[in-house]
Amino acid sequence: MILSAVEKMFSCLTMGKKAQEETPFMKNGRMLLEELIASCNGKCNHIRTFSSQELNRATNNYHHEQMIFRDSGYTVYKGFLEDRRPITIKRYSSFWENTDYREFRYLLESAMTDIVIGTQMSVHKNVLKLIGCCLDFEFPILVYEFVGNCTLSNRIGKYCSKPLSWKCRIRIAADIAYAVAYLHTALSRLVVLRDIRPSTVILDQDNVAKLTDFSLSVSIPDGESHVITGVFAKTGYLPLEYLNSGYVTEKLDVFYFGLLLLHLLTGNSTFFKVNDLDYVSPYEHLKQCVENQELIKIVDPDILKDVEQQQIVDVGTLALSCICNEAEGRPTMTDITKQLWRIHRSLCTML
């Protein structure tokens, strides 16, 4: 018998309940999953379902001391299964009591997208492995492996007590670029992440980067070069083609990655902010620094002792190409990955 797309998804789940015991939300979840899985040609990896009781016990009823970080629309916790195995739990929820239908739908779609894309990306070494989910609540809860509770944003910037070395930052940048390039090229359809930020990258004990959030991802239909969506972003600056028209291609991720690379280089998450009132285009600011050979002035002081002038130029120039105003002028994530690994190899030979 040929299984429908939604049946394929739920055959991947180790169901702990009989069909007649399903909640209304689980039935609604099936309908939404069918639409999302169809966009991925029905392909997914095996994941497990958890009960609400299991996750309540694992997090001590989502006690605040178990919280790792909070982002827009969800909170991430550390938990322990009954065998004391640590896990990472992402709980979607509204932060407002009176959630309207549009926000409810947005959060539900975000969580479902996170599950569908996350199952496909879990095979990648630079993605936090999704091991299961719980569909008992208003919004799905995602369960991942636990690799640590430190995000990339905790390790760069002026308030960081243990800043990352230059070599480590380049390796992290290369690993993130590799994961995004995989998202663009290795799935059944090209998928655009639309969200690349230090706060959604978790570092393990060896400072290996793990992407954790695919909730804003959109797939490009076969035969199409782009899609048009509502403009939504969690970064402080948007490329013109997206801001003006909602035009989404893989070059949108390249732009966001360029901002991340700039953050790693400067240690500054608001590079485009001149002062408390004035803002400037990151592209124009960086272009001026490159043309005037003043990149050294914007480098994070924590890495100045480790970095050479040519490396600053190489990374600054690469970041500039990523955030240029014309989408067609930006490199691909595959090309970016190759350039960053070349820079990393040169660092290794210097030791």
Side-chain angles (χ1 to χ4, degrees):
M1 183 176 75
I2 298 175
L3 296 177
S4 69
V6 69
E7 287 172 326
K8 288 181 181 179
M9 175 62 184
F10 278 83
S11 69
C12 294
L13 299 173
T14 306
M15 297 300 292
K17 295 185 176 184
K18 297 180 180 179
Q20 62 267 28
E21 296 175 339
E22 290 179 347
T23 65
F25 170 70
M26 290 178 70
K27 293 178 182 178
N28 292 334
R30 281 178 176 268
M31 295 172 61
L32 185 53
L33 277 170
E34 184 171 23
E35 176 186 344
L36 292 169
I37 296 168
S39 71
C40 301
N41 294 339
K43 295 182 179 180
C44 61
N45 297 311
H46 176 88
I47 62 173
R48 168 186 170 186
T49 51
F50 291 84
S51 70
S52 57
Q53 292 82 5
E54 284 181 287
L55 298 188
N56 284 336
R57 289 193 297 268
T59 59
N60 191 19
N61 292 317
Y62 301 95
H63 195 277
H64 66 88
E65 291 184 355
Q66 300 298 114
M67 188 174 74
I68 298 176
F69 68 88
R70 174 176 287 185
D71 202 86
S72 176
Y74 64 81
T75 306
V76 177
Y77 299 86
K78 180 179 181 180
F80 293 91
L81 298 179
E82 291 185 351
D83 61 3
R84 301 308 297 165
R85 178 161 57 105
I87 53 175
T88 302
I89 297 169
K90 181 190 288 185
R91 186 185 189 190
Y92 279 86
S93 61
S94 172
F95 297 147
W96 296 273
E97 292 184 4
N98 299 319
T99 301
D100 63 23
Y101 174 78
R102 286 182 300 177
E103 185 193 347
F104 178 90
R105 184 74 180 181
Y106 162 74
L107 287 174
L108 183 57
E109 289 180 347
S110 296
M112 292 298 183
T113 300
D114 216 354
I115 294 171
V116 173
I117 304 301
T119 60
Q120 298 176 83
M121 288 295 293
S122 285
V123 298
H124 198 283
K125 71 180 183 70
N126 297 115
V127 170
L128 195 65
K129 182 179 177 60
L130 180 67
I131 60 177
C133 63
C134 174
L135 300 176
D136 291 346
F137 297 97
E138 184 178 50
F139 303 113
I141 295 176
L142 283 66
V143 181
Y144 301 86
E145 65 178 340
F146 181 82
V147 299
N149 57 9
C150 178
T151 67
L152 179 56
S153 58
N154 298 144
R155 300 295 305 277
I156 47 180
K158 60 182 179 180
Y159 300 112
C160 174
S161 60
K162 295 176 62 177
L164 295 167
S165 68
W166 173 242
K167 179 182 176 183
C168 189
R169 294 185 196 205
I170 293 299
R171 190 194 70 194
I172 287 171
D175 281 345
I176 295 172
Y178 177 39
V180 179
Y182 184 92
L183 186 70
H184 288 179
T185 60
L187 304 188
S188 56
R189 290 184 182 180
L190 189 159
V191 176
V192 181
L193 185 56
R194 288 205 304 165
D195 187 21
I196 305 173
R197 293 173 293 131
S199 59
T200 59
V201 176
I202 287 183
L203 303 179
D204 70 10
Q205 61 182 2
D206 298 316
N207 290 324
V208 175
K210 306 279 185 178
L211 291 180
T212 66
D213 189 356
F214 297 96
S215 62
L216 290 184
S217 299
V218 295
S219 62
I220 308 294
D222 293 336
E224 300 292 333
S225 62
H226 69 280
V227 294
I228 296 176
T229 69
V231 177
F232 184 86
K234 299 177 182 179
T235 58
Y237 190 76
L238 300 175
L240 294 178
E241 78 277 1
Y242 184 53
L243 178 64
N244 293 336
S245 63
Y247 198 92
V248 175
T249 71
E250 67 270 27
K251 296 302 180 74
L252 178 62
D253 282 347
V254 174
F255 182 92
Y256 288 145
F257 181 81
L259 294 181
L260 176 75
L261 192 58
L262 202 50
H263 193 172
L264 287 167
L265 177 66
T266 66
N268 183 2
S269 61
T270 56
F271 177 77
F272 49 87
K273 190 173 183 180
V274 178
N275 53 50
D276 289 340
L277 298 176
D278 297 324
Y279 289 79
V280 66
S281 158
Y283 176 75
E284 295 302 328
H285 190 178
L286 183 58
K287 182 181 178 182
Q288 186 177 46
C289 290
V290 171
E291 291 178 346
N292 295 339
Q293 298 183 343
E294 295 178 337
L295 280 171
I296 195 69
K297 294 182 178 180
I298 64 171
V299 173
D300 187 345
D302 288 323
I303 57 173
L304 272 176
K305 63 180 182 300
D306 300 324
V307 64
E308 292 189 349
Q309 181 69 32
Q310 187 56 50
Q311 296 162 8
I312 296 175
V313 172
D314 290 345
V315 174
T317 303
L318 178 58
L320 184 65
S321 69
C322 291
I323 63 173
C324 75
N325 293 327
E326 299 297 328
E328 296 79 7
R330 300 171 201 149
T332 66
M333 290 306 305
T334 299
D335 289 338
I336 293 168
T337 304
K338 291 177 180 178
Q339 291 188 57
L340 287 170
W341 278 119
R342 176 185 58 78
I343 296 171
H344 187 264
R345 283 195 298 272
S346 70
L347 284 169
C348 292
T349 58
M350 292 171 56
L351 298 179

